[in-house]
Amino acid sequence: MPACRIPTSRLRAVQQDPTRLAKPQALGWWFAVNLKRIVGFLVVIFVLFWIISQPTSASGSVNNVLGNLQEAGSSIATFLTNVF
């Protein structure tokens, strides 16, 4: 016998409730997931458009970001070297 049993009457009530998906709470997670996908898709399109339309500016920005990451890594390595 299982340790925890769910009464079948509750299962039937959930299965037979046609308004369950129309409730705002149920639609909230669906909207949030789709909003994340839409925003992500728009960001990718914007970045591709920027790279295609202004490749010099895009490459300069990428070089700046990578340079900042390199400086941050060097700073962390110097800190850890001095600590140990």
Side-chain angles (χ1 to χ4, degrees):
M1 177 164 269
C4 179
R5 271 186 68 155
I6 300 173
T8 56
S9 61
R10 286 189 180 182
L11 290 176
R12 285 191 198 119
V14 170
Q15 291 172 351
Q16 295 174 357
D17 186 7
T19 62
R20 182 174 161 266
L21 293 177
K23 293 180 183 176
Q25 296 86 5
L27 292 177
W29 69 269
W30 181 84
F31 180 72
V33 170
N34 283 331
L35 185 62
K36 286 181 185 179
R37 282 186 180 175
I38 291 169
V39 169
F41 187 67
L42 290 175
V43 166
V44 169
I45 288 176
F46 174 72
V47 168
L48 287 176
F49 174 75
W50 180 49
I51 290 172
I52 291 170
S53 65
Q54 298 177 355
T56 306
S57 172
S59 66
S61 296
V62 170
N63 283 334
N64 288 337
V65 168
L66 292 178
N68 290 338
L69 288 174
Q70 182 181 8
E71 289 178 21
S74 296
S75 299
I76 291 172
T78 303
F79 171 75
L80 291 176
T81 303
N82 290 331
V83 168
F84 298 112

